[in-house]
Amino acid sequence: MAARFRTLDEIPPFIALDRNETEALKVVLAAYPLAVTPYYASLIEADSPADPIRRQCIPDIREIQEDPQVSEDPLGEGDHSPVPGLIHRYSDRCLVLVTNVCPVLCRHCNRKRLWRRRARVLTAARLRQITSYIAARSGIREVILSGGDPLTLPDESLARLLHAFQEIPHVEVIRIGSRAPVTLPMRVTEDLCNLLRRFRPLWFNTQFNHPRELTPEAAQACERLVSVGIPVSNQSVLLKGVNDDIETMRDLLYGLQRLSVRPYYLFHPEPVKGTGHFRVEIEKGVRMMERLRREISGLCLPRYVLDTPGALGKIPINGGARSTTCDFL
Ligand SMILES: *Cc1c(COP(=O)(O)O)cnc(C)c1O
């Protein structure tokens, strides 16, 4: 974490930003900052502007060329936040934003709106508000720790948080959403896993988007979690130029299965401001998933979904996507 690249000057030479580009990108960084771990940067192929790892972490001028009409929060998460730091959109589960810090600032992030705020973690007072809200609603049986990346917290803070939620009698399950196995896999230490196992049933969801992210280090992080009885699932985002072709997606899904990681969701990219250059035609996603459904093991198949504002929430996108009346996109 301490060695992350935060400025363009720190980006290693093998990534080869040209000089014109560097000037232009300074403007992007003023709107959307940069953070890349040396580990994740090391996965970038040298001198290759279209590299799928590079696209996910190195800023792109198109991030600030987006139509000003495009929303920063199309899912209206802000409107479903009864207490600051808590998003409650589904009756039986809620999501807690425990920090806004991440090891890598993913350029396709759908919570880019939180990047501009200074780094912060949930305070004790906020946590008390959140736990009181949950404690007063017996319908909430699952709490999802998200952010930001919860694994940027020190072990002791994470244990305190997990304990606070586990103590609520009707909270049966805790879920952690973290991209650390992908962007900072050395964070998933044996000590961390021994801590997490005390809070089972605990489910861990991560986000591998490309088969080249399935390195030996990432495999070890997943193996450590799985071996203490924590199921690991994957939620990819369908991203133009990263994984929007069938061969890449098949390699990713097969690779996840080899690591005992269950493909859970494939999210259609949301229309979030600053991410337009990642957007894929929904028909393309449908064609890809239809072929995969015919060709690959059911255990490798994620649900292809579109998250939408309001009561519909995450809706499965099937072959009949055209007939689904949804004017969200
Ligand atoms: C996606 C999401 C969840 C989890 O939904 P699942 O379908 O159970 O994975 C929970 N809360 C919010 C606010 C979400 O956006």
Side-chain angles (χ1 to χ4, degrees), residues 76-272:
E77 290 191 325
D79 308 332
H80 289 89
S81 186
V83 180
L86 179 113
I87 304 173
H88 193 194
R89 288 178 59 209
Y90 302 105
S91 61
D92 78 337
R93 56 208 187 280
C94 67
L95 195 144
V96 182
L97 304 177
V98 302
T99 169
N100 65 344
V101 178
C102 278
V104 169
L105 290 172
C106 305
R107 308 320 295 182
H108 57 276
C109 178
N110 63 4
R111 296 203 184 111
K112 277 184 147 175
R113 66 180 190 281
L114 305 181
W115 292 9
R116 278 189 290 274
R117 305 198 188 149
R118 63 187 167 76
R120 48 176 205 174
V121 296
L122 211 57
T123 61
R126 283 273 160 83
L127 177 62
R128 269 195 306 276
Q129 278 183 294
I130 290 174
T131 50
S132 317
Y133 178 92
I134 297 172
R137 284 162 185 79
S138 58
I140 298 179
R141 59 178 290 282
E142 179 174 348
V143 174
I144 303 166
L145 306 194
S146 180
D149 197 313
L151 294 204
T152 57
L153 300 186
D155 286 3
E156 313 74 61
S157 316
L158 206 49
R160 252 195 316 273
L161 271 178
L162 289 165
H163 184 73
F165 295 117
Q166 192 188 45
E167 268 205 315
I168 304 171
H170 53 267
V171 172
E172 298 171 10
V173 172
I174 297 176
R175 189 193 315 187
I176 292 182
S178 162
R179 215 182 171 203
V182 187
T183 56
L184 189 68
M186 48 294 289
R187 172 68 184 94
V188 186
T189 59
E190 277 178 31
D191 281 352
L192 175 69
C193 293
N194 285 328
L195 180 163
L196 294 179
R197 75 191 306 175
R198 301 191 341 241
F199 300 96
R200 292 178 60 216
L202 187 134
W203 295 64
F204 196 101
N205 280 17
T206 189
Q207 186 199 133
F208 289 98
N209 289 328
H210 192 276
R212 284 215 339 258
E213 294 168 341
L214 304 169
T215 62
E217 290 87 348
Q220 186 182 47
C222 297
E223 177 60 25
R224 282 184 173 156
L225 290 163
V226 170
S227 67
V228 296
I230 298 174
V232 182
S233 304
N234 191 66
Q235 345 193 128
S236 299
V237 189
L238 180 60
L239 298 169
K240 189 176 194 164
V242 174
N243 58 17
D244 62 334
D245 64 277
I246 191 151
E247 290 73 27
T248 305
M249 188 55 74
R250 186 195 293 119
D251 287 354
L252 172 65
L253 299 173
Y254 280 167
L256 289 167
Q257 193 193 26
R258 280 198 297 277
L259 302 190
S260 305
V261 174
R262 173 78 160 97
Y264 175 54
Y265 279 142
L266 173 63
F267 284 111
H268 190 75
E270 281 148 29
V272 176

